[in-house]
Amino acid sequence: MNVPLLDLVAQYQGIKDEVLPAIMAVIERQAFIMGAEVGQLEAAVAKLCNTRHAIGCASGTDALLLPLKALDLRPGDEVVTTPFTFFATAGAIHNAGGTPVFVDIDPATFNIDPAAVEAAITPRTRAILPVHLFGQMAAIEALLPIAARHGLALIEDAAQSIGARRKVDGVWRVAGELGTVGTLSFFPSKNLGAFGDGGMMVTQDDALADRLRRLRLHGGAKQYFHDEVGFNSRLDTLLAAVLLAKLPHLAEWSAARVRHAARYTEAFAGHPDVCPPRTDPANEHIFNQYTLRVPRRDALQAHLKARGIGNSIYYPLSLHLQPCFAHLGYAEGDFPASEAASAQVISLPVFPELTEAQQQAVIDAVLEFYA
Ligand SMILES: Cc1ncc(COP(=O)(O)O)c(C=O)c1O
Protein backbone atom coordinates (compact mmCIF):
# COMPACT_ATOMS: atom_id res chain seq x y z
CA MET A 1 0.00 0.00 0.00
CA ASN A 2 1.32 3.44 -0.91
CA VAL A 3 1.02 5.95 1.93
CA PRO A 4 1.89 9.60 1.27
CA LEU A 5 3.67 11.71 3.87
CA LEU A 6 0.84 14.21 3.57
CA ASP A 7 -2.49 14.00 1.72
CA LEU A 8 -3.80 17.49 1.11
CA VAL A 9 -6.22 16.24 -1.53
CA ALA A 10 -8.00 14.10 1.10
CA GLN A 11 -8.34 17.14 3.35
CA TYR A 12 -9.59 19.29 0.49
CA GLN A 13 -12.26 16.74 -0.49
CA GLY A 14 -13.70 16.95 3.03
CA ILE A 15 -13.95 20.76 3.14
CA LYS A 16 -14.47 21.68 -0.51
CA ASP A 17 -18.03 22.86 0.09
CA GLU A 18 -16.84 25.26 2.78
CA VAL A 19 -13.70 26.57 1.10
CA LEU A 20 -14.89 27.12 -2.46
CA PRO A 21 -17.77 29.52 -1.59
CA ALA A 22 -15.36 31.46 0.66
CA ILE A 23 -12.93 31.83 -2.26
CA MET A 24 -15.72 32.73 -4.67
CA ALA A 25 -16.98 35.46 -2.33
CA VAL A 26 -13.60 37.19 -2.55
CA ILE A 27 -13.49 36.76 -6.31
CA GLU A 28 -17.01 38.15 -6.72
CA ARG A 29 -15.99 41.23 -4.74
CA GLN A 30 -12.59 41.45 -6.48
CA ALA A 31 -11.16 42.59 -3.15
CA PHE A 32 -7.81 40.82 -3.17
CA ILE A 33 -5.56 43.10 -1.14
CA MET A 34 -6.23 43.53 2.60
CA GLY A 35 -9.86 42.50 2.18
CA ALA A 36 -12.22 41.92 5.10
CA GLU A 37 -11.18 38.26 5.51
CA VAL A 38 -7.64 39.29 6.52
CA GLY A 39 -8.93 41.24 9.52
CA GLN A 40 -11.40 38.48 10.39
CA LEU A 41 -8.66 35.86 10.34
CA GLU A 42 -6.38 38.10 12.40
CA ALA A 43 -9.09 38.47 15.05
CA ALA A 44 -9.69 34.72 15.11
CA VAL A 45 -5.98 33.85 15.39
CA ALA A 46 -5.43 36.46 18.12
CA LYS A 47 -8.23 34.75 20.06
CA LEU A 48 -6.70 31.32 19.49
CA CYS A 49 -3.26 32.53 20.64
CA ASN A 50 -4.58 34.59 23.57
CA THR A 51 -2.87 37.71 22.22
CA ARG A 52 -4.03 41.29 21.79
CA HIS A 53 -2.86 41.40 18.18
CA ALA A 54 -2.39 39.15 15.17
CA ILE A 55 -0.91 40.58 11.99
CA GLY A 56 -1.04 38.66 8.73
CA CYS A 57 1.92 38.61 6.38
CA ALA A 58 3.14 36.84 3.27
CA SER A 59 4.84 33.79 4.84
CA GLY A 60 6.14 32.25 8.03
CA THR A 61 9.57 33.45 6.92
CA ASP A 62 8.37 37.06 6.75
CA ALA A 63 6.63 36.57 10.11
CA LEU A 64 10.16 36.13 11.49
CA LEU A 65 11.81 38.77 9.33
CA LEU A 66 9.49 41.65 10.24
CA PRO A 67 9.88 41.47 14.05
CA LEU A 68 13.62 40.97 13.59
CA LYS A 69 13.66 44.11 11.40
CA ALA A 70 11.73 45.89 14.16
CA LEU A 71 14.75 45.29 16.43
CA ASP A 72 16.81 47.67 14.22
CA LEU A 73 19.79 45.33 14.40
CA ARG A 74 23.22 46.78 13.76
CA PRO A 75 26.03 44.73 12.18
CA GLY A 76 27.36 42.32 14.79
CA ASP A 77 24.13 42.19 16.79
CA GLU A 78 23.39 38.62 17.79
CA VAL A 79 20.25 36.52 17.97
CA VAL A 80 20.52 33.23 19.85
CA THR A 81 18.69 30.35 18.20
CA THR A 82 18.69 26.62 17.54
CA PRO A 83 20.64 24.90 14.75
CA PHE A 84 17.99 22.15 14.53
CA THR A 85 15.18 23.88 12.66
CA PHE A 86 13.98 24.81 9.20
CA PHE A 87 16.41 27.15 7.48
CA ALA A 88 14.09 30.19 7.60
CA THR A 89 14.67 30.64 11.34
CA ALA A 90 18.32 31.55 10.89
CA GLY A 91 17.94 32.92 7.37
CA ALA A 92 15.58 35.60 8.71
CA ILE A 93 18.13 36.63 11.35
CA HIS A 94 20.75 37.06 8.64
CA ASN A 95 18.38 38.93 6.33
CA ALA A 96 17.40 41.29 9.15
CA GLY A 97 21.06 42.25 9.48
CA GLY A 98 21.85 40.15 12.55
CA THR A 99 24.22 37.30 13.30
CA PRO A 100 22.72 33.93 14.21
CA VAL A 101 24.32 32.47 17.34
CA PHE A 102 23.51 28.79 17.59
CA VAL A 103 23.18 26.78 20.78
CA ASP A 104 22.44 23.09 21.16
CA ILE A 105 19.10 21.38 21.70
CA ASP A 106 17.60 19.24 24.40
CA PRO A 107 17.88 15.75 22.87
CA ALA A 108 14.61 14.68 24.51
CA THR A 109 12.41 17.24 22.73
CA PHE A 110 14.59 18.56 19.86
CA ASN A 111 13.93 22.07 21.25
CA ILE A 112 16.50 24.67 22.29
CA ASP A 113 18.31 24.06 25.60
CA PRO A 114 17.67 27.07 27.89
CA ALA A 115 20.92 26.54 29.85
CA ALA A 116 22.86 26.76 26.59
CA VAL A 117 20.98 29.95 25.71
CA GLU A 118 22.02 31.60 28.96
CA ALA A 119 25.66 30.64 28.37
CA ALA A 120 25.64 32.18 24.87
CA ILE A 121 24.48 35.66 25.88
CA THR A 122 27.00 38.44 25.17
CA PRO A 123 26.78 42.24 25.24
CA ARG A 124 25.82 42.01 21.53
CA THR A 125 22.84 39.72 22.08
CA ARG A 126 19.56 41.38 21.15
CA ALA A 127 17.06 38.53 21.04
CA ILE A 128 16.39 34.87 21.75
CA LEU A 129 14.63 32.94 19.00
CA PRO A 130 13.38 29.54 20.18
CA VAL A 131 11.51 27.27 17.78
CA HIS A 132 8.54 25.21 18.94
CA LEU A 133 9.65 22.30 16.78
CA PHE A 134 7.43 19.57 15.30
CA GLY A 135 4.40 20.75 17.32
CA GLN A 136 5.54 21.08 20.92
CA MET A 137 6.63 24.19 22.73
CA ALA A 138 10.15 24.91 23.90
CA ALA A 139 10.70 25.58 27.63
CA ILE A 140 9.31 29.11 27.43
CA GLU A 141 9.17 29.51 31.25
CA ALA A 142 12.97 29.07 31.37
CA LEU A 143 13.62 31.41 28.43
CA LEU A 144 11.41 34.30 29.59
CA PRO A 145 13.46 35.12 32.71
CA ILE A 146 16.70 34.96 30.69
CA ALA A 147 15.26 37.42 28.17
CA ALA A 148 13.97 39.67 30.95
CA ARG A 149 17.27 39.64 32.87
CA HIS A 150 19.25 40.67 29.81
CA GLY A 151 16.66 43.00 28.24
CA LEU A 152 16.23 40.82 25.16
CA ALA A 153 13.32 40.26 22.81
CA LEU A 154 11.91 36.74 22.79
CA ILE A 155 10.67 35.74 19.34
CA GLU A 156 8.80 32.42 19.35
CA ASP A 157 8.97 30.60 16.02
CA ALA A 158 5.65 28.77 16.23
CA ALA A 159 5.49 27.97 12.50
CA GLN A 160 4.92 24.29 13.34
CA SER A 161 2.94 24.77 16.53
CA ILE A 162 -0.19 26.83 16.01
CA GLY A 163 -2.42 26.36 19.05
CA ALA A 164 0.08 24.14 20.89
CA ARG A 165 0.03 24.71 24.65
CA ARG A 166 2.37 24.41 27.60
CA LYS A 167 1.53 24.53 31.29
CA VAL A 168 3.44 27.41 32.85
CA ASP A 169 2.96 28.02 36.59
CA GLY A 170 -0.19 25.91 36.48
CA VAL A 171 -1.74 27.85 33.57
CA TRP A 172 -2.03 26.60 29.98
CA ARG A 173 -0.22 29.03 27.68
CA VAL A 174 -0.45 29.03 23.91
CA ALA A 175 2.52 29.16 21.54
CA GLY A 176 3.17 32.85 20.88
CA GLU A 177 1.24 34.10 23.92
CA LEU A 178 4.10 34.89 26.27
CA GLY A 179 6.94 36.01 24.00
CA THR A 180 7.57 39.48 22.62
CA VAL A 181 6.13 38.13 19.40
CA GLY A 182 5.09 34.72 18.12
CA THR A 183 5.30 33.76 14.46
CA LEU A 184 3.06 31.38 12.50
CA SER A 185 3.27 29.80 9.06
CA PHE A 186 0.36 28.78 6.88
CA PHE A 187 2.56 26.79 4.50
CA PRO A 188 0.29 24.02 3.13
CA SER A 189 1.91 21.26 5.23
CA LYS A 190 1.32 23.02 8.54
CA ASN A 191 -1.55 22.03 10.85
CA LEU A 192 -3.41 25.05 9.46
CA GLY A 193 -2.26 25.29 5.86
CA ALA A 194 -3.31 27.78 3.19
CA PHE A 195 -3.56 27.27 -0.58
CA GLY A 196 -0.15 28.94 -0.92
CA ASP A 197 2.31 30.84 1.28
CA GLY A 198 1.09 32.84 4.26
CA GLY A 199 2.10 33.77 7.79
CA MET A 200 1.06 35.68 10.89
CA MET A 201 2.67 37.46 13.84
CA VAL A 202 0.99 37.55 17.26
CA THR A 203 1.88 39.90 20.09
CA GLN A 204 0.52 41.55 23.24
CA ASP A 205 2.52 44.73 22.56
CA ASP A 206 0.43 47.55 21.02
CA ALA A 207 3.40 49.61 19.80
CA LEU A 208 5.15 46.60 18.26
CA ALA A 209 1.89 45.58 16.56
CA ASP A 210 1.64 49.03 14.95
CA ARG A 211 5.22 48.80 13.77
CA LEU A 212 4.67 45.33 12.29
CA ARG A 213 1.51 46.52 10.53
CA ARG A 214 3.57 49.32 8.96
CA LEU A 215 6.51 47.08 8.07
CA ARG A 216 4.27 44.74 6.07
CA LEU A 217 2.98 47.71 4.03
CA HIS A 218 6.23 49.33 2.89
CA GLY A 219 6.71 51.02 6.24
CA GLY A 220 3.86 53.49 5.86
CA ALA A 221 0.99 53.95 8.31
CA LYS A 222 -0.73 56.12 5.70
CA GLN A 223 -0.68 55.19 2.02
CA TYR A 224 2.13 56.94 0.09
CA PHE A 225 3.73 58.31 3.30
CA HIS A 226 6.62 56.24 4.63
CA ASP A 227 8.14 56.52 8.10
CA GLU A 228 10.63 53.78 7.28
CA VAL A 229 11.43 51.34 4.51
CA GLY A 230 9.33 48.23 4.91
CA PHE A 231 8.18 45.33 2.74
CA ASN A 232 5.33 44.16 0.59
CA SER A 233 4.34 41.34 2.90
CA ARG A 234 0.57 41.10 3.05
CA LEU A 235 -1.47 37.96 3.55
CA ASP A 236 -3.59 37.48 0.41
CA THR A 237 -7.32 37.92 0.98
CA LEU A 238 -8.02 34.72 -0.97
CA LEU A 239 -5.76 32.79 1.38
CA ALA A 240 -7.27 34.46 4.46
CA ALA A 241 -10.69 33.28 3.20
CA VAL A 242 -9.37 29.73 2.84
CA LEU A 243 -7.83 29.84 6.31
CA LEU A 244 -11.02 31.23 7.87
CA ALA A 245 -12.95 28.31 6.38
CA LYS A 246 -10.34 25.83 7.63
CA LEU A 247 -9.81 27.29 11.12
CA PRO A 248 -12.93 25.70 12.71
CA HIS A 249 -11.41 22.30 11.81
CA LEU A 250 -7.98 22.95 13.30
CA ALA A 251 -8.73 21.49 16.74
CA GLU A 252 -10.16 18.25 15.30
CA TRP A 253 -7.26 17.96 12.82
CA SER A 254 -4.65 18.43 15.53
CA ALA A 255 -6.53 15.94 17.75
CA ALA A 256 -6.41 13.38 14.91
CA ARG A 257 -2.64 13.90 14.62
CA VAL A 258 -2.33 13.32 18.38
CA ARG A 259 -4.31 10.06 18.07
CA HIS A 260 -2.12 8.83 15.21
CA ALA A 261 1.00 9.74 17.19
CA ALA A 262 -0.26 7.78 20.21
CA ARG A 263 -0.91 4.73 18.01
CA TYR A 264 2.60 4.86 16.54
CA THR A 265 4.16 5.30 19.95
CA GLU A 266 2.22 2.32 21.28
CA ALA A 267 3.30 0.20 18.30
CA PHE A 268 6.98 1.12 18.77
CA ALA A 269 7.03 1.10 22.59
CA GLY A 270 9.89 -0.91 24.05
CA HIS A 271 11.43 -1.57 20.63
CA PRO A 272 15.22 -1.87 20.95
CA ASP A 273 15.91 0.30 17.87
CA VAL A 274 12.91 2.50 17.14
CA CYS A 275 12.72 5.46 19.51
CA PRO A 276 9.41 7.37 19.42
CA PRO A 277 9.36 11.13 20.03
CA ARG A 278 8.99 12.29 23.61
CA THR A 279 6.36 14.78 24.66
CA ASP A 280 7.48 17.01 27.49
CA PRO A 281 4.89 16.37 30.26
CA ALA A 282 4.27 20.14 30.44
CA ASN A 283 3.24 20.21 26.76
CA GLU A 284 0.23 19.54 24.61
CA HIS A 285 1.95 18.41 21.41
CA ILE A 286 0.08 18.99 18.13
CA PHE A 287 2.32 16.67 16.04
CA ASN A 288 2.94 18.71 12.93
CA GLN A 289 5.57 15.99 12.55
CA TYR A 290 5.90 12.54 14.11
CA THR A 291 9.65 12.07 14.25
CA LEU A 292 11.45 8.88 15.24
CA ARG A 293 15.07 8.39 16.14
CA VAL A 294 16.50 5.25 14.62
CA PRO A 295 19.81 3.56 13.88
CA ARG A 296 20.64 2.96 10.16
CA ARG A 297 18.28 5.80 9.32
CA ASP A 298 19.23 6.15 5.65
CA ALA A 299 18.74 2.44 5.06
CA LEU A 300 15.32 2.63 6.75
CA GLN A 301 14.46 5.55 4.50
CA ALA A 302 15.39 3.53 1.40
CA HIS A 303 13.32 0.61 2.72
CA LEU A 304 10.27 2.84 3.29
CA LYS A 305 10.66 4.34 -0.15
CA ALA A 306 10.75 0.86 -1.72
CA ARG A 307 7.53 0.04 0.18
CA GLY A 308 5.81 3.24 -1.01
CA ILE A 309 5.74 4.77 2.47
CA GLY A 310 6.11 8.57 2.52
CA ASN A 311 8.66 9.99 4.95
CA SER A 312 11.06 12.86 5.29
CA ILE A 313 14.20 13.88 7.14
CA TYR A 314 13.66 17.07 9.12
CA TYR A 315 16.50 18.16 9.15
CA PRO A 316 19.48 16.44 7.54
CA LEU A 317 22.10 19.15 8.18
CA SER A 318 22.28 21.35 11.28
CA LEU A 319 22.22 25.01 10.38
CA HIS A 320 25.65 25.72 11.91
CA LEU A 321 27.12 23.39 9.24
CA GLN A 322 25.32 24.94 6.25
CA PRO A 323 27.76 26.32 3.66
CA CYS A 324 26.06 29.74 3.72
CA PHE A 325 26.99 30.11 7.40
CA ALA A 326 30.61 28.97 7.01
CA HIS A 327 31.72 32.55 7.76
CA LEU A 328 30.31 32.17 11.28
CA GLY A 329 33.13 29.74 12.03
CA TYR A 330 31.26 26.78 13.45
CA ALA A 331 32.62 23.25 13.05
CA GLU A 332 31.35 19.70 13.20
CA GLY A 333 31.09 18.63 16.81
CA ASP A 334 30.03 22.06 18.09
CA PHE A 335 26.45 20.94 18.78
CA PRO A 336 26.47 17.18 19.33
CA ALA A 337 22.77 16.84 20.18
CA SER A 338 21.69 18.68 17.04
CA GLU A 339 24.14 16.76 14.86
CA ALA A 340 23.03 13.43 16.35
CA ALA A 341 19.40 14.33 15.68
CA SER A 342 20.22 15.15 12.06
CA ALA A 343 21.77 11.70 11.65
CA GLN A 344 18.99 9.77 13.41
CA VAL A 345 15.60 11.36 12.71
CA ILE A 346 12.92 10.32 10.28
CA SER A 347 9.38 11.68 10.13
CA LEU A 348 6.40 9.44 9.31
CA PRO A 349 2.96 10.26 7.89
CA VAL A 350 0.80 11.75 10.67
CA PHE A 351 -1.67 13.86 8.67
CA PRO A 352 -5.21 13.94 10.08
CA GLU A 353 -6.85 11.92 7.28
CA LEU A 354 -4.39 8.99 7.64
CA THR A 355 -6.51 5.81 7.80
CA GLU A 356 -5.93 2.96 10.22
CA ALA A 357 -4.95 0.68 7.32
CA GLN A 358 -2.47 3.24 6.02
CA GLN A 359 -0.97 3.68 9.46
CA GLN A 360 -0.68 -0.07 9.92
CA ALA A 361 1.21 -0.26 6.63
CA VAL A 362 3.67 2.37 7.92
CA ILE A 363 4.12 0.55 11.24
CA ASP A 364 4.59 -2.83 9.51
CA ALA A 365 7.17 -1.40 7.12
CA VAL A 366 9.21 0.13 9.96
CA LEU A 367 9.05 -3.01 12.13
CA GLU A 368 9.85 -5.24 9.14
CA PHE A 369 13.08 -3.31 8.56
CA TYR A 370 14.34 -3.88 12.12
CA ALA A 371 13.06 -7.47 12.42
C1 LIG B 1 10.28 26.26 12.11
C2 LIG B 1 9.91 27.02 10.89
N1 LIG B 1 10.20 28.33 10.82
C3 LIG B 1 9.86 29.07 9.75
C4 LIG B 1 9.22 28.52 8.67
C5 LIG B 1 8.94 29.37 7.48
O1 LIG B 1 7.61 29.40 7.11
P1 LIG B 1 7.20 29.63 5.58
O2 LIG B 1 7.51 28.40 4.82
O3 LIG B 1 5.72 29.88 5.68
O4 LIG B 1 7.93 30.82 5.08
C6 LIG B 1 8.87 27.15 8.71
C7 LIG B 1 8.13 26.46 7.66
O5 LIG B 1 8.20 26.26 6.56
C8 LIG B 1 9.25 26.39 9.83
O6 LIG B 1 8.97 25.08 9.89
Side-chain angles (χ1 to χ4, degrees):
M1 178 193 282
N2 282 347
V3 184
L5 179 61
L6 180 67
D7 189 350
L8 290 173
V9 174
Q11 183 177 83
Y12 172 63
Q13 293 304 338
I15 55 165
K16 208 171 177 172
D17 295 346
E18 296 154 51
V19 174
L20 289 183
I23 292 174
M24 286 313 294
V26 177
I27 292 175
E28 292 294 337
R29 292 199 328 270
Q30 293 287 299
F32 299 115
I33 304 298
M34 298 302 286
E37 287 82 354
V38 174
Q40 289 164 17
L41 181 70
E42 288 173 341
V45 170
K47 194 164 168 218
L48 173 73
C49 295
N50 259 336
T51 54
R52 289 174 53 76
H53 305 277
I55 301 130
C57 62
S59 66
T61 302
D62 278 6
L64 290 162
L65 180 65
L66 269 52
L68 286 161
K69 274 280 176 188
L71 291 174
D72 300 311
L73 300 174
R74 288 154 307 160
D77 280 356
E78 298 168 354
V79 177
V80 180
T81 194
T82 163
F84 193 67
T85 176
F86 179 60
F87 180 76
T89 310
I93 296 169
H94 174 90
N95 283 335
T99 301
V101 171
F102 297 111
V103 300
D104 214 351
I105 55 168
D106 171 359
T109 61
F110 302 114
N111 279 326
I112 200 164
D113 173 2
V117 170
E118 177 96 73
I121 306 264
T122 75
R124 298 306 306 268
T125 309
R126 299 289 312 283
I128 304 171
L129 206 175
V131 178
H132 302 315
L133 201 71
F134 298 152
Q136 74 172 322
M137 286 178 66
I140 191 86
E141 71 286 349
L143 297 169
L144 283 163
I146 301 172
R149 244 191 334 274
H150 299 276
L152 309 173
L154 181 57
I155 300 173
E156 297 175 59
D157 182 343
Q160 301 181 8
S161 292
I162 184 169
R165 302 198 301 172
R166 182 173 177 87
K167 211 165 216 178
V168 176
D169 294 333
V171 182
W172 285 107
R173 301 293 195 168
V174 188
E177 177 182 350
L178 294 176
T180 312
V181 62
T183 72
L184 303 173
S185 164
F186 302 126
F187 186 81
S189 66
K190 301 299 194 257
N191 285 34
L192 182 64
F195 291 0
D197 277 310
M200 199 163 279
M201 303 161 283
V202 295
T203 182
Q204 314 286 5
D205 183 326
D206 297 350
L208 177 60
D210 282 347
R211 179 108 187 259
L212 295 172
R213 284 193 189 97
R214 287 200 302 274
L215 279 170
R216 75 171 164 182
L217 289 174
H218 290 296
K222 197 167 126 194
Q223 204 173 17
Y224 308 125
F225 293 86
H226 301 270
D227 312 310
E228 63 179 314
V229 178
F231 302 87
N232 176 357
S233 185
R234 298 173 287 239
L235 177 64
D236 281 348
T237 309
L238 278 171
L239 300 187
V242 169
L243 291 164
L244 267 177
K246 283 183 143 197
L247 187 58
H249 298 281
L250 175 61
E252 84 205 40
W253 287 335
S254 290
R257 288 171 178 272
V258 171
R259 282 197 304 278
H260 302 329
R263 183 144 184 265
Y264 276 133
T265 295
E266 201 186 308
F268 301 134
H271 194 283
D273 291 316
V274 181
C275 178
R278 184 172 169 270
T279 300
D280 184 319
N283 276 338
E284 271 179 8
H285 200 315
I286 62 161
F287 288 98
N288 181 242
Q289 300 298 340
Y290 183 86
T291 304
L292 298 175
R293 277 181 195 269
V294 291
R296 297 187 288 134
R297 190 269 316 276
D298 293 346
L300 171 65
Q301 184 172 40
H303 171 81
L304 292 179
K305 193 170 171 215
R307 293 280 180 285
I309 305 294
N311 66 84
S312 193
I313 309 298
Y314 305 116
Y315 297 94
L317 184 63
S318 276
L319 298 189
H320 67 289
L321 300 176
Q322 299 286 344
C324 67
F325 290 135
H327 63 282
L328 298 176
Y330 292 104
E332 216 171 313
D334 282 350
F335 305 116
S338 177
E339 291 167 32
S342 288
Q344 296 166 355
V345 292
I346 187 162
S347 297
L348 301 179
V350 74
F351 59 91
E353 301 77 13
L354 186 71
T355 65
E356 221 172 295
Q358 285 177 316
Q359 190 172 17
Q360 195 57 51
V362 180
I363 293 168
D364 291 347
V366 172
L367 293 180
E368 178 192 21
F369 179 76
Y370 291 103

